[in-house]
Amino acid sequence: MNTPDVLNEHNLETRLRLERKELLKRVQMQLHCSDDPQQISIANHLADVGDWVIADLLGDADISMIEHELSALREIDAALKRIANGTYGVCTSCSSEIDPRRLSVQPAARLCVACKEAFEKRRGIVTHQTM
Ligand SMILES: [Zn+2]
């Protein structure tokens, strides 16, 4: 793949890892601030294993406050995996190359613009409106 310098995978990987670190910090802080001992133990456990995809194991704990962060983490982990196995920058839906400009704005993107729009239309999400 012929990617421009600013968008080389190394740079994007660095950005993804930084973003991941920030997200983890936020999630851990939120969990630690909780009064629920279950959530605090989850925070400790996740910090140990470092595998945040298992956040699904959170089970009955109320994780609504960190749901957004967790889903962002999953996207980032998936993107890092794609970098590792050489499929990064390729739309996971139609297999065409994702516009590098899109990746520079959203390094964890897994869909090309066309697929993303189709996906959002299906789900009835209108991103260009603020309400
Ligand atoms: Zn696509």
Side-chain angles (χ1 to χ4, degrees):
M1 213 188 308
N2 205 357
T3 25
D5 263 6
V6 269
L7 289 169
N8 74 43
E9 287 185 5
H10 180 71
N11 284 347
L12 291 172
E13 185 176 357
T14 306
R15 273 177 59 189
L16 284 166
R17 290 198 185 283
L18 275 175
E19 207 175 312
R20 189 177 193 276
K21 225 161 106 184
E22 286 303 311
L23 278 166
L24 285 181
K25 233 192 275 172
R26 282 215 310 264
V27 170
Q28 258 171 303
M29 245 162 51
Q30 300 238 44
L31 287 174
H32 275 297
C33 291
S34 156
D35 296 330
D36 183 351
Q38 198 190 348
Q39 294 194 11
I40 293 170
S41 89
I42 285 166
N44 292 332
H45 178 66
L46 289 176
D48 282 350
V49 294
D51 182 2
W52 289 75
V53 178
I54 61 153
D56 287 331
L57 296 178
L58 298 184
D60 296 335
D62 177 17
I63 55 157
S64 52
M65 58 179 184
I66 54 165
E67 223 164 87
H68 178 76
E69 277 84 359
L70 285 178
S71 77
L73 272 174
R74 284 200 195 96
E75 293 290 311
I76 288 175
D77 278 353
L80 288 170
K81 217 187 225 167
R82 290 197 298 278
I83 289 176
N85 65 26
T87 57
Y88 182 76
V90 176
C91 175
T92 57
S93 177
C94 72
S95 299
S96 66
E97 264 186 48
I98 300 174
D99 187 339
R101 279 170 304 185
R102 170 159 159 72
L103 290 173
S104 77
V105 179
Q106 207 171 27
R110 64 190 162 83
L111 294 175
C112 68
V113 177
C115 288
K116 182 180 174 281
E117 278 172 2
F119 179 74
E120 284 172 353
K121 217 176 262 174
R122 268 207 311 277
R123 301 188 61 186
I125 302 168
V126 182
T127 45
H128 302 297
Q129 282 177 6
T130 40
M131 28 191 309

